[in-house]
Amino acid sequence: MDTAEHMRTVDEEGRLLAAAAREAGTGAEVPTCPGWRVRDLLRHTGTVHRWATGFVADGHPVPRAPGAEPELDGEPLVAWYEEGHGRLVDTLRAAPADVACWSFLPAPSPLAFWARRQAHETTVHRADAQSALGGTPTGPAAALAVDGIDELLLAFHARPRSRVRTDEPRVLRVRATDTGVVWTMRLSPEPPVTTRTATLTGPHGGAERGPDADMHMNANAELDANADLNVDADCEITGPASQLYLSLWNRVPFPSVTGDPSLAALWRDNSGIIMG
């Protein structure tokens, strides 16, 4: 996916989030985020949107904390969220491609980073808002799902902050059955080392990765990727990309787990992300 597609995703998913929140009501429970109600979701997401907007709009060069969440509730809170979401979309679309500001994951540019990061931030929380309506939330289209799994496994969990670790070397594999994309995670006392391989060719193989995809990845992703397909996995998580996306973000159960279930539990218990 390219930066323009990520910006379009921020716009579309943010509107869907607002619609679901308004329909559910701010007092509704959010099953995918135990302990949260829709008001918590809107306050959090609206604050993150404003935080991201500030880096791009101001060209801010160093980290800074998000602002305080508002005490608003009900329709005023939904409107506050919508105002911040609209400002984020406008800021991303108006920013020059070479805008210089702080970012924290590999990307072709700071603008590409913020567009992608907010696309997935908003998509995951849109699913949260829809869960408040009852039933299982829907995942994103395959291309967006694969892109988001790339960000999660190849970028976030390549950092020293990752807590997905094992005392002895183990292999956890994630396989998207509809796109043919496979991620092989080598676990150890150090941060995971993950490779990515597309086993299908043609319009759906690799879920139509955009021209910026490789530059978003951690360098580990390209090391012996094909060879890793021949390594026996201690545990494999499989399913359609959209379901994998939500399950790896701990929103829904894993579609299918084979092998040692303790590695799937390790992911569930230790994969929470610390931003920045």
Side-chain angles (χ1 to χ4, degrees), residues 78-171:
V78 179
W80 174 87
Y81 163 80
E82 290 177 316
E83 189 275 332
H85 168 253
R87 193 188 317 160
L88 171 63
V89 172
D90 291 345
T91 297
L92 292 173
R93 287 176 168 164
D98 61 352
V99 63
C101 64
W102 178 74
S103 59
F104 59 89
L105 294 177
S109 69
L111 182 61
F113 162 79
W114 283 110
R116 185 196 206 193
R117 177 81 289 280
Q118 292 311 299
H120 294 297
E121 178 81 13
T122 309
T123 298
V124 170
H125 289 318
R126 180 273 301 160
D128 292 332
Q130 290 182 339
S131 79
L133 297 171
T136 302
T138 58
L144 181 62
V146 167
D147 182 73
I149 297 170
D150 281 344
E151 183 198 47
L152 184 60
L153 302 189
L154 302 175
F156 272 121
H157 282 284
R159 303 189 305 168
R161 293 186 179 194
S162 177
R163 297 180 296 113
V164 181
R165 306 184 185 212
T166 54
D167 293 334
E168 302 295 331
R170 308 294 300 278
V171 174

Side-chain angles (χ1 to χ4, degrees), residues 171-234:
V171 174
L172 173 61
R173 181 166 288 137
V174 176
R175 186 183 301 272
T177 53
D178 53 342
T179 67
V181 181
V182 179
W183 296 265
T184 301
M185 303 177 66
R186 293 178 178 269
L187 307 180
S188 73
E190 301 299 318
V193 175
T194 303
T195 59
R196 175 205 203 271
T197 307
T199 61
L200 299 179
T201 59
H204 300 293
E208 300 178 0
R209 293 168 65 203
D212 292 341
D214 290 332
M215 297 183 71
H216 276 291
M217 290 186 178
N218 183 278
N220 290 336
E222 300 303 323
L223 297 177
D224 300 322
N226 288 316
D228 270 356
L229 282 177
N230 298 318
V231 174
D232 290 336
D234 296 294

Side-chain angles (χ1 to χ4, degrees), residues 10-33:
V10 176
D11 188 8
E12 294 172 353
E13 294 285 332
R15 293 174 188 272
L16 291 172
L17 191 162
R22 183 171 278 115
E23 181 179 350
T26 57
E29 294 183 353
V30 181
T32 52
C33 297

